């Protein structure tokens, strides 16, 4: 499914059109000065669009939380434009972190380490650790350099909503709340970065992403997964990283995930959708290309082929937003436990569903 990121909109934020292959340096310089001076600017990365503010300015962090409607104990990730820029931010940099960043930076990897006094608690959500990432996007890197080298940036959406994978999604949520949007076109990956915590003896995955467990083990050896990854609400621990406690990525309609043998899942989705139809309601369905013909009723959105997990990841948030546009009140999704990014995809779906799962 292709997400439509075009079409006229009433723009309240200033939008700068940029080409990632060769971004206009003067526009980036202007945007960097705006962020350095305390303004907020949305910008593309390889994962999702971020909402950037000066990471070393406590007031900028407060503005980010206010614009998103985000709880202030939910940490922000500091984005840097070169690997060496992490050192003033942290008090420790273990060998395991060095190995991982050498392998995956720039890229969709965030690491957590004990913070230095340079980093305000407003940016870390009150924690003594800091989350840092070096994004693989020329627009992002230019903005970061011109803004002083440190940009705090959660995803550029209202808190709890599906993350933005194109500038139009940012406008939908934040156009009256931020001053500038850097439009670099659709992102490449579509899911947020993998977060690995190095503040404990054994590295811990706090949020799965494009860089999966097997890739991490190949570099680090022993890695464990935080149990909070698949928990929501009051059952989740205090967040050491974005997306750990609160309901995230959620469409306005009530989303439910169905797990089990594929034929059993399809049969149960058909039954649920039929019940809604008999009550005069249209239910939504998220399915793969291979099962599209199994659903004669409902509003059906194909997320991609089960053989292409990158396509599934890229399409997920756009599909959740498409259901918002149609006003569907109930949505039923197949499960997508793909070999590499399956944990990341299901982490986002489960958070979006608020933990609602039917096991067939």
């Amino acid at each position: 499914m292709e997400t439509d990121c075009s079409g006229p909109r009433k723009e309240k934020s200033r939008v700068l059109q940029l080409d990632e292959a060769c971004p206009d340096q003067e526009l980036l310089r202007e945007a960097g000065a705006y962020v350095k001076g305390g303004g907020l600017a949305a910008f593309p990365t390889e994962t999702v669009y971020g909402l950037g503010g000066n990471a070393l300015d406590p007031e900028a962090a407060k503005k980010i939380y206010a614009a998103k409607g985000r709880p202030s104990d939910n940490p922000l990730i500091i984005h840097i434009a070169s690997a060496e820029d992490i050192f003033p931010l942290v008090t420790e940099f273990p060998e395991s972190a060095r190995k991982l960043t050498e392998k995956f930076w720039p890229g969709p990897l965030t690491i957590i380490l004990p913070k230095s006094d340079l980093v305000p608690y407003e940016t870390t959500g009150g924690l003594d650790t800091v989350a840092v990432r070096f994004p693989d996007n020329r627009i992002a890197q230019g903005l970061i350099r011109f803004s002083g080298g440190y940009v705090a940036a959660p995803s550029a959406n209202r808190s709890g909503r599906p993350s933005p994978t194109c500038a139009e999604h940012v406008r939908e949520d934040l156009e009256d709340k931020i001053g500038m949007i850097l439009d670099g076109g659709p992102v490449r990956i579509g899911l947020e970065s993998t977060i690995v915590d190095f503040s404990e003896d054994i590295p811990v995955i706090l949020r799965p992403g494009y860089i999966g467990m097997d890739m991490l083990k190949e570099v680090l050896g022993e890695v464990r997964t935080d149990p909070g990854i698949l928990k929501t609400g009051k059952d989740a621990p205090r967040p050491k990283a974005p997306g750990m406690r609160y309901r995230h990525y959620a469409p306005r309609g009530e989303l439910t995930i169905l797990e089990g043998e594929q034929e059993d899942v399809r049969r149960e989705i058909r039954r649920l959708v039929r019940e809604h139809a008999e009550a005069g309601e249209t239910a939504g369905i998220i399915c793969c290309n291979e099962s599209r013909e199994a659903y004669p009723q409902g509003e059906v959105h194909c997320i991609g082929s089960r053989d292409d997990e990158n396509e599934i990841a890229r399409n997920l948030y756009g599909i959740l937003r498409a259901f918002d546009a149609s006003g569907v009140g109930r949505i039923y999704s197949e499960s997508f436990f793909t070999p590499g990014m399956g944990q990341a995809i299901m982490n986002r779906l489960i958070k979006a569903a608020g933990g609602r799962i039917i096991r067939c």
Side-chain angles (χ1 to χ4, degrees), residues 19 57 85 93 119 126 141 192 204 220 229 240 277 295 309 337:
D19 179 1
D57 179 0
D85 289 341
F93 194 76
V119 183
Q141 292 169 4
E192 297 83 355
V204 182
L220 299 175
I229 280 178
K240 292 184 72 175
Y295 304 114
E309 62 183 6
F337 289 102

Side-chain angles (χ1 to χ4, degrees), residues 167-189:
E168 177 59 24
H169 296 162
V170 180
R171 287 195 285 265
E172 288 173 4
D173 284 7
L174 298 176
E175 68 174 358
D176 60 344
K177 293 180 170 55
I178 62 176
M180 193 174 289
I181 299 173
L182 279 58
D183 186 348
V187 301
R188 298 195 304 272
I189 294 176

